Amino acid sequence: MNCTFVKVLLYAYPKLRELVESVSAAVENKAVLSFKTYGNALTIAEKIVDEIVLGRDLESAADAVDGALKNLSEEELYFLEYKYFRRKRVLSGRFGSFTPACSERSYYRKQAALLKRIAFLLAALGWTEQRFFEAFGEFPFFMKLYRALEAGREQTITAKRTVGGLSFQKSTCSSERAMGGFLPRSTKNATAMHAAHTMQMTAISTPESPPLETGLFSVSPPAEAGTR
């Protein structure tokens, strides 16, 4: 199962509602100022309709992710927040004292399983990979992110984390002992062992060919970020 489109929606999730508002404002401005726009009336109307549809698709995608999140455990929600959403107020508030009961190896396995679980939940809500491309195949913001993820450049589209990493429990897995001991408990060592990345998508936030003329992509990413 290709879950790349799921990653796109998860990375974008904290800003999806703001994108909807930006699209709505763009549509209104374009309609009001249509008399100043070059081109025939039909072409202008088609562009406005396309943007209305885009706004509805973005809102539908946000609703679908909301619906999927309602089916997750507290630990699963923490894993999503920690890797994809990176909202400082949530990490320091709701999950301020939360520590997942897993080793580092187990953490990555759980993240992989969680991604597939969300893909199934989204599919049940009508959001499959096919639906994703039908809605956003010409949306530069999502397509640039999708291509970067497919090319294995996930770390290039995120900034290094500026907050502490996870503190992992010692593993009882014999294969981990064979690799030279237990995984580190300390945040400093755990963070140093892996490159970090974040929800901060500044590196890709400028589309190749902006579809809107009113600053749709001016929404700034979260101030702090990281990855696992």
Side-chain angles (χ1 to χ4, degrees), residues 7 11 143-159 197 203-204 208:
K7 282 190 172 185
Y11 274 121
M143 287 299 97
K144 193 170 184 179
L145 176 54
Y146 185 95
R147 289 192 296 272
L149 292 170
E150 280 284 274
R153 294 186 285 109
E154 191 163 358
Q155 293 183 9
T156 68
I157 61 175
T158 56
H197 56 86
I204 61 156
E208 296 169 337

Side-chain angles (χ1 to χ4, degrees), residues 47-192:
K47 290 182 178 180
I48 292 175
V49 170
D50 286 344
E51 290 174 6
I52 291 175
V53 173
L54 172 61
R56 290 178 178 175
D57 285 337
L58 286 169
E59 187 167 14
S60 175
D63 290 341
V65 177
D66 284 341
L69 298 185
K70 292 179 181 178
N71 292 279
L72 303 182
S73 67
E74 192 73 358
E75 182 182 70
E76 289 173 325
L77 290 173
Y78 171 79
F79 284 162
L80 288 183
E81 193 67 52
Y82 184 81
K83 179 173 183 178
Y84 297 102
F85 304 159
R86 299 306 304 164
R87 294 172 295 192
K88 182 178 179 181
R89 67 185 183 280
V90 179
L91 286 171
S92 61
R94 178 177 179 177
F95 297 114
S97 59
F98 186 86
T99 301
C102 66
S103 67
E104 189 168 10
R105 171 174 290 191
S106 177
Y107 164 80
Y108 286 106
R109 288 175 176 171
K110 288 186 176 184
Q111 282 284 15
L114 177 57
L115 188 64
K116 292 181 180 179
R117 173 166 161 73
I118 295 173
F120 282 115
L121 291 171
L122 289 176
L125 295 168
W127 277 91
T128 61
E129 186 176 39
Q130 179 179 347
R131 174 75 176 95
F132 174 85
F133 279 104
E134 289 174 351
F136 306 121
E138 296 183 4
F139 187 36
F141 179 52
F142 280 6
M143 287 299 97
K144 193 170 184 179
L145 176 54
Y146 185 95
R147 289 192 296 272
L149 292 170
E150 280 284 274
R153 294 186 285 109
E154 191 163 358
Q155 293 183 9
T156 68
I157 61 175
T158 56
K160 290 185 177 181
R161 67 186 307 110
T162 56
V163 297
L166 283 169
S167 293
F168 294 106
Q169 293 186 345
K170 288 186 177 181
S171 170
T172 58
C173 177
S174 58
S175 62
E176 289 176 18
R177 294 194 189 99
M179 292 176 66
F182 294 119
L183 294 168
R185 291 179 61 88
S186 73
T187 293
K188 181 178 180 180
N189 291 337
T191 303

